[in-house]
Amino acid sequence: MGILARGDDSVEILKIKGLKKTYGGKTVINGVDLTISRGEVAVVLGPSGCGKTTLLKCVNGLESHQGGVILFNGQPLGEGGLKWTLARQKIGMVFQSYDLFPHMTVLSNVMLGPLRAQKRAKDEVYAQALELLDRVGLSDRRDDYPRQLSGGQKQRIAIVRALCMNPELMLFDEVTASLDPEMVREVLDVMMGLAKRGMTMLIVTHEMEFAKAAADRIIFMDEGVIAEESEAGDFFKSPRTERAKRFLNTFYFD
Amino acid sequence: MPNSGIDALLSVNNLTRLGQGLAVTLKLSIISIAISLALGLIYGIAMTTKNKLLYGLLKLYLEAFRVIPLLVWLFLLFFGGARAFGADTDGFTASVIVFSMWGTVEMGDIIRGAVQSIPACQRLSAEALGMTKARIYRHVIIPQAVRRFTPAAINLVTRMIKTSSLAVFVGVTEILRVGKQIIEFNMMKNPMASFWIYAFIFVVYFIICYPVSRLSKRLEAKWEY
Ligand SMILES: Nc1ncnc2c1ncn2[C@@H]1O[C@H](COP(=O)(O)OP(=O)(O)OP(=O)(O)O)[C@@H](O)[C@H]1O
Ligand SMILES: [Mg+2]
């Protein structure tokens, strides 16, 4: 992973225009426009069921969309554009459930994608895998199986597994949501570290303090649309919409 | 020295005949197991269908073998079949057919379970790495399915070898029947023959099935994760 300049607004890495997604007859994403610049950290907030996961899955084609376009480095994704298998090699994704491959060691988990999808040389991938594992403090667990690791450790490995593909954009979907509270921090720290190194990230989270600290921009979704888009500082100080105010209030107690 | 009766076992002639009986047992088992594996793969994958009607039919077929004793199936095909179709079914063929029909559903059920036990998120995480469908199957789905399938399948194989002795009831000269013939022949002069012959057959089954069952335990331990 290269060290990139932070917040260089001139380079659009991801551009979503008029995105629509339906399940059966039900519209779940109803015309989303979103632009992410290289090096930017955008955090998606919103109530349960508003379409955050669906939006992320549409970006790397794990869900098909029924309208609109997704451009990655100016190139359309999916049918007629960049093939999804290639797009996914540049757009990493980490899920809420840390689903490492249970029949493989930590190292094999991390090396699978680079070797089998990207067909890179083994020596080079091995060196990178060790370096990344070291960075999250887990290089000594490289020969362990996932069952021997804690939830927080597994989730850090899952992040490393995605990073080892040298992605240009990382998608995170509530990666700390099913962790025990004392393990949340170690995972968020890894993500903070990535932000500092200039990784472009689109993050769905319910960790408000983390969102405040890490985000350049907050994207607030409600009922399948982007209801508000603000600088992170502004959003938490003075949200512009009623819906965002109501949402933020649910996180505070009187 | 009193006659221990072991000479009923030790005569070259009798040992040869027991060996031939064993060969029939193994032949019957191996053919049935091979057919069950091949058809079980198809049956098992068909069981994962979303078509309710097809699933219902396959499930009914499975339950039919779970609730009706195998011996009844065997008699039905051997005696009933001969009556109904005037066909002169020989015992060996009837046994292969019934054991294979049964083995297919049991093997199929194991395969269905193995495939369905792989959580959907496994495929999703592999897809998110940009792997093609074929590679996902090769590196993620199949290795996990095989690990779940193999111990149970080996267990079934030992059950099928043991169950092949039912063929004795439709006149197949497998090892158990040979044993009975030798015992009956020696009844008068050698009353202890039955002990030695059955002990021998006991040991033979043990020698065949025990290593197989050990192998299954070893694989299970090795693949535990
Ligand atoms: N596979 C599916 N089939 C049908 N409807 C779905 C499917 N997946 C999601 N939905 C619906 O789409 C809507 C958006 O779901 P999504 O998972 O994107 O919400 P979310 O914002 O991620 O919620 P949460 O915060 O609970 O994770 C919900 O109403 C959900 O019920
Ligand atoms: Mg979600």
Side-chain angles (χ1 to χ4, degrees), chain B residues 23-71:
Chain B
V24 173
T25 291
L26 289 178
K27 189 171 149 200
L28 178 57
S29 306
I30 289 168
I31 295 176
S32 309
I33 289 164
I35 295 175
S36 301
L37 263 175
L39 295 184
L41 188 66
I42 298 170
Y43 178 82
I45 289 171
M47 281 283 276
T48 63
T49 178
K50 289 198 176 72
N51 183 328
K52 289 231 165 66
L53 180 68
L54 176 61
Y55 178 80
L57 288 173
L58 294 170
K59 182 80 181 166
L60 189 70
Y61 182 58
L62 171 69
E63 289 304 326
F65 278 95
R66 292 259 166 94
V67 293
I68 300 166
L70 215 48
L71 194 56

Side-chain angles (χ1 to χ4, degrees), chain B residues 109-140:
Chain B
D109 200 41
I110 295 170
I111 289 168
R112 178 201 55 75
V115 171
Q116 287 184 341
S117 68
I118 315 278
C121 61
Q122 284 287 308
R123 187 189 303 256
L124 218 55
S125 333
E127 277 185 64
L129 290 173
M131 291 167 71
T132 58
K133 247 199 168 84
R135 282 178 190 279
I136 293 172
Y137 261 91
R138 160 123 165 59
H139 297 286
V140 177

Side-chain angles (χ1 to χ4, degrees), chain A:
Chain A
M1 191 185 67
I3 312 285
L4 300 159
R6 186 74 189 274
D8 178 1
D9 288 33
S10 59
V11 196
E12 290 173 355
I13 186 166
L14 182 72
K15 195 173 183 73
I16 302 172
K17 287 193 284 198
L19 187 73
K20 268 208 167 86
K21 165 80 197 170
T22 56
Y23 282 116
K26 192 173 150 215
T27 303
V28 178
I29 303 276
N30 196 6
V32 161
D33 297 297
L34 179 65
T35 303
I36 308 282
S37 306
R38 197 169 284 278
E40 188 178 22
V41 177
V43 168
V44 182
L45 300 177
S48 180
C50 71
K52 305 181 296 291
T53 298
T54 308
L55 174 66
L56 255 53
K57 281 184 170 172
C58 284
V59 169
N60 72 352
L62 291 180
E63 290 287 0
S64 61
H65 55 270
Q66 280 70 49
V69 284
I70 302 170
L71 301 170
F72 184 70
N73 288 326
Q75 195 179 7
L77 297 185
E79 249 167 77
L82 185 64
K83 275 186 13 189
W84 284 120
T85 47
L86 293 177
R88 289 175 194 145
Q89 292 173 27
K90 297 179 182 168
I91 305 175
M93 179 158 184
V94 185
F95 302 83
Q96 174 177 339
S97 53
Y98 22 83
D99 21 49
L100 298 176
F101 306 123
H103 60 297
M104 294 182 185
T105 63
V106 165
L107 200 56
S108 305
N109 263 279
V110 173
M111 292 174 66
L112 182 70
L115 292 181
R116 301 300 170 184
Q118 295 179 315
K119 315 227 165 76
R120 283 155 57 191
K122 201 167 175 182
D123 295 346
E124 176 235 344
V125 174
Y126 179 77
Q128 185 184 6
L130 279 192
E131 188 205 310
L132 288 169
L133 284 172
D134 197 42
R135 203 197 288 169
V136 302
L138 289 171
S139 55
D140 56 328
R141 310 303 297 267
R142 60 175 169 259
D143 295 322
D144 285 357
Y145 283 87
R147 71 182 143 88
Q148 296 166 285
L149 304 173
S150 72
Q153 290 171 329
K154 279 190 265 200
Q155 198 58 297
R156 282 184 279 159
I157 303 287
I159 294 174
V160 165
R161 181 173 65 179
L163 289 178
C164 205
M165 305 281 290
N166 294 319
E168 291 175 43
L169 167 67
M170 283 288 291
L171 311 172
F172 292 87
D173 187 15
E174 300 198 38
V175 293
T176 57
S178 45
L179 292 178
D180 290 337
E182 70 269 23
M183 291 171 184
V184 169
R185 187 57 196 251
E186 65 192 45
V187 174
L188 294 181
D189 280 342
V190 169
M191 291 163 71
M192 271 317 246
L194 281 176
K196 293 215 178 80
R197 282 168 173 267
M199 174 60 80
T200 314
M201 302 197 275
L202 186 55
I203 302 171
V204 174
T205 184
H206 285 298
E207 299 286 337
M208 289 302 141
E209 291 306 316
F210 169 73
K212 268 182 213 170
D216 297 314
R217 187 151 49 111
I218 301 291
I219 294 147
F220 175 70
M221 282 184 75
D222 197 15
E223 296 182 351
V225 297
I226 295 180
E228 179 169 344
E229 215 182 315
S230 312
E231 290 277 310
D234 299 343
F235 181 82
F236 289 104
K237 253 192 273 129
S238 49
R240 280 179 280 124
T241 58
E242 252 336 285
R243 289 197 273 188
K245 272 181 205 152
R246 252 184 286 131
F247 174 76
L248 282 176
N249 275 335
T250 61
F251 290 88
Y252 300 107
F253 296 92
D254 297 316

